[in-house]
Amino acid sequence: MRPQDILIPAPAGLCCKPGGFHIDPVRPVERAVITHGHSDHARPGHGAVLATQETLDMMRLRYGDNFASSTQAVRYGEEITLGEVKIKFHPAGHVLGSAQIAVTCKDTCIVASGDYKDAIDPTCTPFEVVPCDVFITEATFGLPVFRHGDAADEVKKLLASVALFPERAHLVGAYSLGKAQRVIALLREQGYDAPIYLHGAMETITRYYESRGIALGELRAVQGMKKADLAGTITLAPPSATSDIWTRRFPDPVTAFASGWMRVRARARQRGVELPLVISDHADWDGLTATIAATGAGEVWVTHGQEDALVHWCKTRGLAARPLDLVGYGDEGESEVVAADEAEA
Ligand SMILES: [Zn+2]
Ligand SMILES: [Zn+2]
């Protein structure tokens, strides 16, 4: 069976005709299989939704109880038959509950990896390499210039700055689903045990992570704190909040931003970020290329991000490769676009 007869790009998203579903559809569909909770992948208004329990919970928290007509929680490794295909979820290492979807029809296996990273993250199940015939990869950081390095070193930079400026507050811009919790967990791994403060928009999802057994230490709402009491503290906030009047409640704040884009100095300067932290929930160039090679796939389809360089790299390695030209994805987790729920105070 030709891979394009199993999965094909359609206006609503990646469509599996023999299985009767779409993966991460950007428009309402009858049956959606969803890789993870970021708002560009997990949208409301579908009929049936299949996803991990965590992804379903995050959709419920964000969109309310009626976000879909029906839901089915799928565990990692569980096999489900839909029409003429079998699907299986595997950990993607991107955020809590994130999954790659393996779609098998007759003898052909295609893996739609959603967003993923191969770096260690204490807040989610590690990425798993899934052998397949066709690997569908994102390309958010699909240029050789993107090498993220060790996230622990970035957190050490933050702690060094806190030690150096005890009279100032440290404000860390981080996306509210995944990145914020990872930064907190990384701080705890470095032995930082003081309370960490949260912007109001971070609270629901962070408390949800805790309810799933992710230990994050003592967390406090920044709301209602006296300005002077925030000297020497660390507060996590949505990136948009770190450049608005909301920051006036902090004593002489040092503004940090945790993102893979912080590798690009000009971006940090443009945003007025004093302390750029290169911490990403996406694979970097080395991660993307190593993963493609490890899957053993002979064919690679490249979705959102910097497709061209990755397609070219695949071809030089003798792999069939093409961009998928799916529209509607620009990850909330890394893009400059801030989700509506993060813009609130
Ligand atoms: Zn994502
Ligand atoms: Zn994405």
Side-chain angles (χ1 to χ4, degrees):
M1 198 163 190
R2 297 184 314 164
Q4 58 268 39
D5 295 328
I6 302 172
L7 277 174
I8 192 154
L14 206 50
C15 174
C16 177
K17 285 197 179 134
F21 63 87
H22 288 74
I23 296 177
D24 290 353
V26 295
R27 299 180 187 172
V29 299
E30 237 168 82
R31 188 186 301 274
V33 177
I34 293 186
T35 60
H36 68 286
H38 279 146
S39 56
D40 53 333
H41 294 257
R43 298 174 192 247
H46 304 306
V49 170
L50 279 80
T52 62
Q53 185 64 55
E54 289 87 352
T55 297
L56 293 175
D57 290 342
M58 289 172 193
M59 293 178 80
R60 195 169 291 115
L61 287 173
R62 177 173 280 147
Y63 303 126
D65 285 339
N66 300 319
F67 70 92
S69 312
S70 69
T71 61
Q72 182 178 346
V74 184
R75 288 187 307 275
Y76 293 135
E78 184 181 349
E79 188 171 78
I80 289 178
T81 301
L82 291 173
E84 300 163 38
V85 310
K86 291 190 192 318
I87 64 166
K88 211 182 223 189
F89 283 42
H90 300 270
H94 175 57
V95 296
L96 184 63
S98 64
Q100 313 174 68
I101 319 290
V103 180
T104 305
C105 191
K106 301 200 170 76
D107 292 337
T108 304
C109 176
I110 305 180
V111 169
S113 55
D115 292 338
Y116 68 95
K117 71 170 177 294
D118 53 345
I120 297 165
D121 180 342
T123 66
C124 63
T125 310
F127 177 84
E128 184 183 304
V129 172
V130 185
C132 55
D133 302 297
V134 180
F135 185 60
I136 306 178
T137 179
E138 54 135 328
T140 305
F141 292 111
L143 286 174
V145 65
F146 290 112
R147 292 201 158 85
H148 299 329
D150 188 347
D153 291 337
E154 300 299 296
V155 164
K156 284 179 195 164
K157 277 201 285 188
L158 171 60
L159 290 173
S161 179
V162 172
L164 194 61
F165 302 114
E167 72 291 353
R168 302 178 69 182
H170 280 69
L171 263 182
V172 183
Y175 292 95
S176 63
L177 198 181
K179 186 67 61 64
Q181 297 75 29
R182 185 173 174 215
V183 169
I184 295 168
L186 287 165
L187 283 163
R188 299 310 187 197
E189 281 189 347
Q190 291 303 315
Y192 184 76
D193 57 6
I196 292 174
Y197 292 84
L198 297 177
H199 181 283
M202 299 275 173
E203 282 181 50
T204 309
I205 201 76
T206 304
R207 296 296 177 196
Y208 175 70
Y209 265 65
E210 289 186 301
S211 78
R212 301 299 293 188
I214 311 295
L216 298 174
E218 190 186 344
L219 304 174
R220 290 183 188 167
V222 76
Q223 185 82 35
M225 287 291 296
K226 287 202 197 86
K227 189 169 180 169
D229 293 340
L230 290 167
T233 64
I234 297 175
T235 297
L236 273 288
S240 58
T242 62
S243 56
D244 86 25
I245 54 165
W246 180 78
T247 62
R248 288 186 196 160
R249 71 182 68 197
F250 296 92
D252 191 18
V254 175
T255 305
F257 185 29
S259 166
W261 295 112
M262 292 297 100
R263 176 62 68 213
V264 185
R265 288 276 160 182
R267 289 237 192 185
R269 270 198 304 276
Q270 204 176 52
R271 298 185 66 115
V273 174
E274 201 174 330
L275 184 61
L277 303 172
V278 186
I279 301 176
S280 177
D281 286 335
H282 294 265
D284 65 3
W285 176 257
D286 292 335
L288 292 168
T289 54
T291 302
I292 290 169
T295 62
E299 187 166 341
V300 179
W301 298 349
V302 185
T303 74
H304 56 302
Q306 326 258 357
E307 295 97 327
D308 297 351
L310 203 54
V311 167
H312 178 75
W313 180 89
C314 291
K315 287 181 176 166
T316 63
R317 304 285 297 229
L319 305 174
R322 64 182 178 103
L324 269 196
D325 299 323
L326 290 172
V327 292
Y329 305 95
D331 197 20
E332 169 196 294
E334 293 284 1
S335 78
E336 302 295 302
V337 182
V338 173
D341 59 341
E342 292 184 335
E344 299 157 9

Short mmCIF file of all heavy atoms in Angstrom, two decimals, residues 91-129:
data_model
loop_
_atom_site.label_atom_id
_atom_site.label_comp_id
_atom_site.label_asym_id
_atom_site.label_seq_id
_atom_site.Cartn_x
_atom_site.Cartn_y
_atom_site.Cartn_z
N PRO A 91 5.31 7.64 23.50
CA PRO A 91 5.72 8.92 24.11
C PRO A 91 6.53 9.79 23.14
O PRO A 91 7.39 9.29 22.42
CB PRO A 91 6.60 8.50 25.29
CG PRO A 91 6.30 7.07 25.54
CD PRO A 91 5.80 6.48 24.26
N ALA A 92 6.22 11.10 23.16
CA ALA A 92 6.92 12.05 22.28
C ALA A 92 7.90 12.94 23.05
O ALA A 92 8.65 13.70 22.45
CB ALA A 92 5.91 12.91 21.52
N GLY A 93 7.87 12.89 24.40
CA GLY A 93 8.83 13.67 25.19
C GLY A 93 8.69 15.18 25.07
O GLY A 93 9.59 15.91 25.45
N HIS A 94 7.57 15.66 24.56
CA HIS A 94 7.40 17.09 24.29
C HIS A 94 6.82 17.83 25.49
O HIS A 94 7.42 18.76 26.01
CB HIS A 94 6.52 17.23 23.05
CG HIS A 94 6.14 18.61 22.66
ND1 HIS A 94 7.07 19.60 22.39
CD2 HIS A 94 4.92 19.18 22.46
CE1 HIS A 94 6.43 20.71 22.05
NE2 HIS A 94 5.12 20.49 22.10
N VAL A 95 5.64 17.40 25.92
CA VAL A 95 5.02 17.90 27.16
C VAL A 95 4.29 16.72 27.81
O VAL A 95 4.17 15.66 27.18
CB VAL A 95 4.00 19.06 26.90
CG1 VAL A 95 4.70 20.28 26.32
CG2 VAL A 95 2.85 18.60 26.00
N LEU A 96 3.78 16.91 29.02
CA LEU A 96 3.05 15.84 29.70
C LEU A 96 1.94 15.29 28.80
O LEU A 96 1.13 16.06 28.27
CB LEU A 96 2.45 16.38 31.01
CG LEU A 96 1.73 15.38 31.91
CD1 LEU A 96 2.67 14.30 32.43
CD2 LEU A 96 1.07 16.11 33.08
N GLY A 97 1.92 13.98 28.61
CA GLY A 97 0.87 13.36 27.81
C GLY A 97 1.09 13.36 26.31
O GLY A 97 0.27 12.83 25.56
N SER A 98 2.19 13.96 25.84
CA SER A 98 2.38 14.07 24.38
C SER A 98 2.68 12.71 23.78
O SER A 98 3.37 11.88 24.37
CB SER A 98 3.49 15.07 24.05
OG SER A 98 4.73 14.62 24.55
N ALA A 99 2.15 12.50 22.57
CA ALA A 99 2.27 11.18 21.93
C ALA A 99 2.61 11.31 20.45
O ALA A 99 2.23 12.27 19.79
CB ALA A 99 0.96 10.42 22.08
N GLN A 100 3.37 10.31 19.98
CA GLN A 100 3.50 10.09 18.55
C GLN A 100 2.41 9.07 18.20
O GLN A 100 2.11 8.19 19.01
CB GLN A 100 4.85 9.47 18.20
CG GLN A 100 6.04 10.13 18.85
CD GLN A 100 7.33 9.35 18.57
OE1 GLN A 100 7.80 9.29 17.45
NE2 GLN A 100 7.89 8.74 19.60
N ILE A 101 1.87 9.17 17.00
CA ILE A 101 0.82 8.22 16.60
C ILE A 101 1.37 7.34 15.49
O ILE A 101 1.70 7.85 14.41
CB ILE A 101 -0.44 8.95 16.06
CG1 ILE A 101 -0.79 10.20 16.90
CG2 ILE A 101 -1.60 7.98 15.94
CD1 ILE A 101 -1.31 9.95 18.25
N ALA A 102 1.48 6.04 15.76
CA ALA A 102 1.90 5.09 14.72
C ALA A 102 0.63 4.57 14.04
O ALA A 102 -0.27 4.07 14.70
CB ALA A 102 2.69 3.95 15.33
N VAL A 103 0.57 4.73 12.72
CA VAL A 103 -0.60 4.27 11.94
C VAL A 103 -0.13 3.14 11.04
O VAL A 103 0.75 3.35 10.20
CB VAL A 103 -1.16 5.43 11.09
CG1 VAL A 103 -2.37 4.96 10.29
CG2 VAL A 103 -1.51 6.63 11.96
N THR A 104 -0.69 1.96 11.24
CA THR A 104 -0.28 0.81 10.44
C THR A 104 -1.45 0.30 9.61
O THR A 104 -2.54 0.08 10.12
CB THR A 104 0.24 -0.34 11.35
OG1 THR A 104 1.28 0.19 12.17
CG2 THR A 104 0.79 -1.48 10.52
N CYS A 105 -1.18 0.15 8.30
CA CYS A 105 -2.20 -0.37 7.40
C CYS A 105 -1.52 -1.45 6.56
O CYS A 105 -0.52 -1.17 5.89
CB CYS A 105 -2.74 0.76 6.52
SG CYS A 105 -4.20 0.28 5.59
N LYS A 106 -2.04 -2.67 6.64
CA LYS A 106 -1.38 -3.82 6.01
C LYS A 106 0.08 -3.86 6.46
O LYS A 106 0.34 -3.93 7.66
CB LYS A 106 -1.55 -3.77 4.50
CG LYS A 106 -3.03 -3.77 4.11
CD LYS A 106 -3.26 -4.19 2.68
CE LYS A 106 -4.74 -4.41 2.44
NZ LYS A 106 -5.50 -3.14 2.31
N ASP A 107 1.05 -3.73 5.54
CA ASP A 107 2.45 -3.85 5.94
C ASP A 107 3.16 -2.52 6.12
O ASP A 107 4.36 -2.48 6.34
CB ASP A 107 3.23 -4.66 4.88
CG ASP A 107 2.78 -6.10 4.88
OD1 ASP A 107 2.24 -6.56 5.90
OD2 ASP A 107 2.94 -6.76 3.83
N THR A 108 2.43 -1.42 6.01
CA THR A 108 3.08 -0.12 6.04
C THR A 108 2.81 0.61 7.35
O THR A 108 1.65 0.71 7.78
CB THR A 108 2.59 0.73 4.85
OG1 THR A 108 2.83 0.01 3.65
CG2 THR A 108 3.32 2.07 4.78
N CYS A 109 3.88 1.10 7.96
CA CYS A 109 3.72 1.85 9.22
C CYS A 109 4.20 3.29 9.02
O CYS A 109 5.33 3.54 8.59
CB CYS A 109 4.51 1.19 10.34
SG CYS A 109 4.45 2.13 11.88
N ILE A 110 3.33 4.23 9.36
CA ILE A 110 3.67 5.65 9.31
C ILE A 110 3.59 6.18 10.73
O ILE A 110 2.61 5.94 11.44
CB ILE A 110 2.67 6.44 8.43
CG1 ILE A 110 2.59 5.83 7.03
CG2 ILE A 110 3.07 7.91 8.35
CD1 ILE A 110 1.61 6.56 6.10
N VAL A 111 4.61 6.92 11.15
CA VAL A 111 4.58 7.53 12.48
C VAL A 111 4.43 9.05 12.34
O VAL A 111 5.28 9.71 11.73
CB VAL A 111 5.84 7.19 13.30
CG1 VAL A 111 5.90 8.04 14.57
CG2 VAL A 111 5.83 5.71 13.67
N ALA A 112 3.33 9.57 12.88
CA ALA A 112 3.13 11.03 12.95
C ALA A 112 3.59 11.45 14.34
O ALA A 112 2.96 11.11 15.34
CB ALA A 112 1.67 11.37 12.74
N SER A 113 4.71 12.14 14.40
CA SER A 113 5.34 12.35 15.71
C SER A 113 4.82 13.58 16.44
O SER A 113 5.16 13.82 17.59
CB SER A 113 6.86 12.43 15.56
OG SER A 113 7.21 13.42 14.63
N GLY A 114 3.99 14.40 15.78
CA GLY A 114 3.51 15.62 16.44
C GLY A 114 4.71 16.52 16.72
O GLY A 114 5.60 16.66 15.90
N ASP A 115 4.76 17.12 17.90
CA ASP A 115 5.96 17.84 18.34
C ASP A 115 6.71 16.89 19.26
O ASP A 115 6.10 16.15 20.02
CB ASP A 115 5.59 19.10 19.11
CG ASP A 115 4.94 20.15 18.22
OD1 ASP A 115 5.13 20.11 17.00
OD2 ASP A 115 4.23 21.02 18.77
N TYR A 116 8.03 16.92 19.21
CA TYR A 116 8.80 15.99 20.05
C TYR A 116 10.16 16.55 20.39
O TYR A 116 10.66 17.48 19.77
CB TYR A 116 8.94 14.62 19.36
CG TYR A 116 9.81 14.63 18.11
CD1 TYR A 116 11.16 14.31 18.17
CD2 TYR A 116 9.27 14.95 16.86
CE1 TYR A 116 11.95 14.30 17.02
CE2 TYR A 116 10.05 14.94 15.71
CZ TYR A 116 11.39 14.61 15.79
OH TYR A 116 12.17 14.61 14.66
N LYS A 117 10.74 15.96 21.43
CA LYS A 117 12.15 16.25 21.72
C LYS A 117 12.78 15.00 22.30
O LYS A 117 12.13 14.21 23.00
CB LYS A 117 12.31 17.44 22.67
CG LYS A 117 11.89 17.23 24.10
CD LYS A 117 12.33 18.42 24.96
CE LYS A 117 11.86 18.30 26.41
NZ LYS A 117 10.40 18.35 26.58
N ASP A 118 14.06 14.84 22.02
CA ASP A 118 14.79 13.69 22.54
C ASP A 118 15.59 14.05 23.79
O ASP A 118 16.24 13.20 24.38
CB ASP A 118 15.69 13.08 21.45
CG ASP A 118 16.61 14.12 20.81
OD1 ASP A 118 16.36 15.33 20.99
OD2 ASP A 118 17.57 13.74 20.13
N ALA A 119 15.52 15.34 24.20
CA ALA A 119 16.24 15.76 25.40
C ALA A 119 15.50 15.30 26.66
O ALA A 119 14.29 15.07 26.63
CB ALA A 119 16.39 17.28 25.42
N ILE A 120 16.24 15.17 27.76
CA ILE A 120 15.64 14.73 29.02
C ILE A 120 14.72 15.82 29.59
O ILE A 120 15.05 17.00 29.55
CB ILE A 120 16.76 14.42 30.05
CG1 ILE A 120 17.60 13.25 29.55
CG2 ILE A 120 16.18 14.11 31.42
CD1 ILE A 120 18.92 13.11 30.30
N ASP A 121 13.58 15.40 30.08
CA ASP A 121 12.62 16.32 30.67
C ASP A 121 11.97 15.62 31.86
O ASP A 121 11.26 14.63 31.69
CB ASP A 121 11.56 16.68 29.61
CG ASP A 121 10.49 17.63 30.12
OD1 ASP A 121 10.34 17.76 31.36
OD2 ASP A 121 9.79 18.22 29.29
N PRO A 122 12.22 16.13 33.09
CA PRO A 122 11.68 15.45 34.27
C PRO A 122 10.16 15.50 34.37
O PRO A 122 9.59 14.84 35.24
CB PRO A 122 12.33 16.21 35.43
CG PRO A 122 12.81 17.51 34.87
CD PRO A 122 13.03 17.31 33.40
N THR A 123 9.50 16.27 33.51
CA THR A 123 8.04 16.40 33.63
C THR A 123 7.25 15.54 32.65
O THR A 123 6.02 15.61 32.64
CB THR A 123 7.61 17.87 33.45
OG1 THR A 123 7.87 18.27 32.11
CG2 THR A 123 8.32 18.79 34.41
N CYS A 124 7.92 14.76 31.82
CA CYS A 124 7.12 13.88 30.94
C CYS A 124 7.88 12.60 30.58
O CYS A 124 9.09 12.50 30.77
CB CYS A 124 6.63 14.61 29.70
SG CYS A 124 7.90 15.23 28.61
N THR A 125 7.13 11.63 30.07
CA THR A 125 7.71 10.34 29.68
C THR A 125 8.69 10.55 28.52
O THR A 125 8.37 11.29 27.59
CB THR A 125 6.57 9.39 29.22
OG1 THR A 125 5.56 9.39 30.23
CG2 THR A 125 7.07 7.98 29.01
N PRO A 126 9.88 9.94 28.59
CA PRO A 126 10.90 10.17 27.54
C PRO A 126 10.46 9.73 26.14
O PRO A 126 9.71 8.76 25.99
CB PRO A 126 12.08 9.32 28.00
CG PRO A 126 11.86 9.02 29.43
CD PRO A 126 10.37 9.07 29.66
N PHE A 127 10.94 10.45 25.17
CA PHE A 127 10.72 10.14 23.75
C PHE A 127 11.14 8.71 23.46
O PHE A 127 12.16 8.24 23.96
CB PHE A 127 11.54 11.10 22.89
CG PHE A 127 11.44 10.84 21.41
CD1 PHE A 127 10.38 11.35 20.68
CD2 PHE A 127 12.39 10.06 20.75
CE1 PHE A 127 10.27 11.10 19.31
CE2 PHE A 127 12.29 9.80 19.39
CZ PHE A 127 11.23 10.32 18.66
N GLU A 128 10.35 8.04 22.61
CA GLU A 128 10.65 6.68 22.23
C GLU A 128 10.84 6.63 20.72
O GLU A 128 10.02 7.17 19.98
CB GLU A 128 9.44 5.82 22.65
CG GLU A 128 9.55 4.35 22.45
CD GLU A 128 8.23 3.67 22.85
OE1 GLU A 128 7.76 3.85 23.99
OE2 GLU A 128 7.66 2.99 21.97
N VAL A 129 11.92 6.00 20.27
CA VAL A 129 12.12 5.83 18.83
C VAL A 129 11.20 4.71 18.35
O VAL A 129 11.20 3.63 18.92
CB VAL A 129 13.59 5.48 18.51
CG1 VAL A 129 13.74 5.11 17.03
CG2 VAL A 129 14.51 6.66 18.86
#
